[in-house]
PDB file of all heavy atoms in Angstrom:
ATOM      1  N   MET A  18     140.699   9.691 152.622  1.00  0.00           N
ATOM      2  CA  MET A  18     141.961   9.925 153.320  1.00  0.00           C
ATOM      3  C   MET A  18     143.014  10.350 152.298  1.00  0.00           C
ATOM      4  O   MET A  18     143.045   9.844 151.173  1.00  0.00           O
ATOM      5  CB  MET A  18     142.386   8.631 154.028  1.00  0.00           C
ATOM      6  CG  MET A  18     143.723   8.661 154.707  1.00  0.00           C
ATOM      7  SD  MET A  18     143.826   7.366 155.989  1.00  0.00           S
ATOM      8  CE  MET A  18     145.133   6.352 155.378  1.00  0.00           C
ATOM      9  N   THR A  20     147.346  11.781 152.012  1.00  0.00           N
ATOM     10  CA  THR A  20     148.569  12.021 152.784  1.00  0.00           C
ATOM     11  C   THR A  20     148.911  13.510 152.737  1.00  0.00           C
ATOM     12  O   THR A  20     148.469  14.239 151.839  1.00  0.00           O
ATOM     13  CB  THR A  20     149.785  11.241 152.232  1.00  0.00           C
ATOM     14  OG1 THR A  20     150.163  11.790 150.978  1.00  0.00           O
ATOM     15  CG2 THR A  20     149.482   9.759 152.099  1.00  0.00           C
ATOM     16  N   TYR A  22     152.268  16.356 154.276  1.00  0.00           N
ATOM     17  CA  TYR A  22     153.561  16.400 154.974  1.00  0.00           C
ATOM     18  C   TYR A  22     153.943  17.792 155.471  1.00  0.00           C
ATOM     19  O   TYR A  22     154.983  17.953 156.101  1.00  0.00           O
ATOM     20  CB  TYR A  22     154.674  15.885 154.035  1.00  0.00           C
ATOM     21  CG  TYR A  22     154.247  14.664 153.249  1.00  0.00           C
ATOM     22  CD1 TYR A  22     153.818  14.765 151.924  1.00  0.00           C
ATOM     23  CD2 TYR A  22     154.219  13.408 153.841  1.00  0.00           C
ATOM     24  CE1 TYR A  22     153.394  13.657 151.204  1.00  0.00           C
ATOM     25  CE2 TYR A  22     153.793  12.292 153.136  1.00  0.00           C
ATOM     26  CZ  TYR A  22     153.383  12.428 151.814  1.00  0.00           C
ATOM     27  OH  TYR A  22     152.961  11.328 151.119  1.00  0.00           O
ATOM     28  N   LEU A  39     146.767  11.625 156.526  1.00  0.00           N
ATOM     29  CA  LEU A  39     147.819  10.699 156.939  1.00  0.00           C
ATOM     30  C   LEU A  39     149.190  11.317 156.685  1.00  0.00           C
ATOM     31  O   LEU A  39     149.510  11.679 155.554  1.00  0.00           O
ATOM     32  CB  LEU A  39     147.716   9.388 156.137  1.00  0.00           C
ATOM     33  CG  LEU A  39     148.885   8.418 156.306  1.00  0.00           C
ATOM     34  CD1 LEU A  39     148.910   7.825 157.718  1.00  0.00           C
ATOM     35  CD2 LEU A  39     148.833   7.300 155.270  1.00  0.00           C
ATOM     36  N   GLY A  41     152.183  10.108 156.064  1.00  0.00           N
ATOM     37  CA  GLY A  41     152.690   8.784 155.701  1.00  0.00           C
ATOM     38  C   GLY A  41     154.211   8.771 155.656  1.00  0.00           C
ATOM     39  O   GLY A  41     154.839   9.794 155.368  1.00  0.00           O
ATOM     40  N   ASP A  42     154.762   7.574 155.899  1.00  0.00           N
ATOM     41  CA  ASP A  42     156.226   7.483 155.749  1.00  0.00           C
ATOM     42  C   ASP A  42     156.608   7.466 154.268  1.00  0.00           C
ATOM     43  O   ASP A  42     157.779   7.429 153.917  1.00  0.00           O
ATOM     44  CB  ASP A  42     156.809   6.287 156.522  1.00  0.00           C
ATOM     45  CG  ASP A  42     156.240   4.946 156.079  1.00  0.00           C
ATOM     46  OD1 ASP A  42     155.343   4.929 155.202  1.00  0.00           O
ATOM     47  OD2 ASP A  42     156.687   3.915 156.612  1.00  0.00           O
ATOM     48  N   SER A  43     155.601   7.552 153.377  1.00  0.00           N
ATOM     49  CA  SER A  43     155.861   7.792 151.948  1.00  0.00           C
ATOM     50  C   SER A  43     156.622   9.102 151.773  1.00  0.00           C
ATOM     51  O   SER A  43     157.155   9.368 150.696  1.00  0.00           O
ATOM     52  CB  SER A  43     154.545   7.842 151.167  1.00  0.00           C
ATOM     53  OG  SER A  43     153.626   8.728 151.770  1.00  0.00           O
ATOM     54  N   ASP A  81     152.153   7.787 160.542  1.00  0.00           N
ATOM     55  CA  ASP A  81     152.797   6.475 160.412  1.00  0.00           C
ATOM     56  C   ASP A  81     153.902   6.285 161.436  1.00  0.00           C
ATOM     57  O   ASP A  81     154.690   7.207 161.685  1.00  0.00           O
ATOM     58  CB  ASP A  81     153.449   6.371 159.023  1.00  0.00           C
ATOM     59  CG  ASP A  81     152.589   5.616 158.031  1.00  0.00           C
ATOM     60  OD1 ASP A  81     151.692   4.866 158.462  1.00  0.00           O
ATOM     61  OD2 ASP A  81     152.819   5.784 156.818  1.00  0.00           O
ATOM     62  N   LYS A 111     149.553   4.771 162.738  1.00  0.00           N
ATOM     63  CA  LYS A 111     149.323   3.657 161.811  1.00  0.00           C
ATOM     64  C   LYS A 111     150.583   2.814 161.780  1.00  0.00           C
ATOM     65  O   LYS A 111     151.690   3.371 161.819  1.00  0.00           O
ATOM     66  CB  LYS A 111     148.989   4.170 160.399  1.00  0.00           C
ATOM     67  CG  LYS A 111     148.898   3.064 159.347  1.00  0.00           C
ATOM     68  CD  LYS A 111     148.252   3.520 158.056  1.00  0.00           C
ATOM     69  CE  LYS A 111     149.166   4.141 157.045  1.00  0.00           C
ATOM     70  NZ  LYS A 111     150.310   3.314 156.619  1.00  0.00           N
ATOM     71  N   HIS A 135     147.668  -1.712 158.769  1.00  0.00           N
ATOM     72  CA  HIS A 135     148.053  -1.591 157.352  1.00  0.00           C
ATOM     73  C   HIS A 135     148.506  -2.976 156.912  1.00  0.00           C
ATOM     74  O   HIS A 135     149.569  -3.456 157.333  1.00  0.00           O
ATOM     75  CB  HIS A 135     149.197  -0.564 157.219  1.00  0.00           C
ATOM     76  CG  HIS A 135     149.619  -0.296 155.797  1.00  0.00           C
ATOM     77  ND1 HIS A 135     150.115   0.935 155.396  1.00  0.00           N
ATOM     78  CD2 HIS A 135     149.634  -1.073 154.696  1.00  0.00           C
ATOM     79  CE1 HIS A 135     150.417   0.880 154.099  1.00  0.00           C
ATOM     80  NE2 HIS A 135     150.138  -0.336 153.659  1.00  0.00           N
ATOM     81  N   VAL A 178     144.222  -0.035 156.695  1.00  0.00           N
ATOM     82  CA  VAL A 178     144.542   0.245 155.290  1.00  0.00           C
ATOM     83  C   VAL A 178     144.801  -1.081 154.583  1.00  0.00           C
ATOM     84  O   VAL A 178     145.532  -1.931 155.092  1.00  0.00           O
ATOM     85  CB  VAL A 178     145.800   1.154 155.186  1.00  0.00           C
ATOM     86  CG1 VAL A 178     146.350   1.175 153.758  1.00  0.00           C
ATOM     87  CG2 VAL A 178     145.470   2.568 155.631  1.00  0.00           C
ATOM     88  N   GLU A 180     146.440  -2.347 151.149  1.00  0.00           N
ATOM     89  CA  GLU A 180     147.225  -1.837 150.013  1.00  0.00           C
ATOM     90  C   GLU A 180     147.574  -2.985 149.062  1.00  0.00           C
ATOM     91  O   GLU A 180     147.994  -4.069 149.499  1.00  0.00           O
ATOM     92  CB  GLU A 180     148.506  -1.157 150.518  1.00  0.00           C
ATOM     93  CG  GLU A 180     149.356  -0.628 149.364  1.00  0.00           C
ATOM     94  CD  GLU A 180     150.471   0.330 149.767  1.00  0.00           C
ATOM     95  OE1 GLU A 180     150.589   0.668 150.959  1.00  0.00           O
ATOM     96  OE2 GLU A 180     151.220   0.733 148.865  1.00  0.00           O
ATOM     97  N   ILE A 201     144.067   1.306 148.904  1.00  0.00           N
ATOM     98  CA  ILE A 201     144.887   1.955 147.868  1.00  0.00           C
ATOM     99  C   ILE A 201     145.302   0.846 146.911  1.00  0.00           C
ATOM    100  O   ILE A 201     145.908  -0.152 147.313  1.00  0.00           O
ATOM    101  CB  ILE A 201     146.082   2.750 148.458  1.00  0.00           C
ATOM    102  CG1 ILE A 201     146.969   3.304 147.328  1.00  0.00           C
ATOM    103  CG2 ILE A 201     146.909   1.951 149.460  1.00  0.00           C
ATOM    104  CD1 ILE A 201     147.891   4.434 147.756  1.00  0.00           C
ATOM    105  N   VAL A 211     142.468   5.991 149.904  1.00  0.00           N
ATOM    106  CA  VAL A 211     143.579   6.889 150.224  1.00  0.00           C
ATOM    107  C   VAL A 211     144.487   7.006 149.010  1.00  0.00           C
ATOM    108  O   VAL A 211     144.681   6.034 148.279  1.00  0.00           O
ATOM    109  CB  VAL A 211     144.385   6.397 151.454  1.00  0.00           C
ATOM    110  CG1 VAL A 211     144.893   4.988 151.319  1.00  0.00           C
ATOM    111  CG2 VAL A 211     145.565   7.338 151.764  1.00  0.00           C
ATOM    112  N   VAL A 213     148.333   9.130 147.851  1.00  0.00           N
ATOM    113  CA  VAL A 213     149.444  10.000 148.232  1.00  0.00           C
ATOM    114  C   VAL A 213     149.199  11.356 147.550  1.00  0.00           C
ATOM    115  O   VAL A 213     148.974  11.420 146.335  1.00  0.00           O
ATOM    116  CB  VAL A 213     150.788   9.369 147.793  1.00  0.00           C
ATOM    117  CG1 VAL A 213     151.933  10.369 147.915  1.00  0.00           C
ATOM    118  CG2 VAL A 213     151.081   8.115 148.618  1.00  0.00           C
TER     119      VAL A 213
HETATM  120  O1  KIV B   1     152.943   6.093 153.698  1.00  0.00           O
HETATM  121  C1  KIV B   1     151.873   6.220 153.058  1.00  0.00           C
HETATM  122  O2  KIV B   1     151.647   7.194 152.347  1.00  0.00           O
HETATM  123  C2  KIV B   1     150.869   5.172 153.195  1.00  0.00           C
HETATM  124  C3  KIV B   1     149.674   5.227 152.299  1.00  0.00           C
HETATM  125  C4  KIV B   1     150.019   4.885 150.912  1.00  0.00           C
HETATM  126  C5  KIV B   1     148.569   4.380 152.810  1.00  0.00           C
HETATM  127  O3  KIV B   1     151.023   4.295 153.995  1.00  0.00           O
END
Side-chain angles (χ1 to χ4, degrees):
M18 175 159 117
T20 69
Y22 318 100
L39 171 69
D42 59 357
S43 51
D81 261 341
K111 173 166 87 57
H135 183 149
V178 166
E180 179 167 357
I201 175 162
V211 55
V213 168

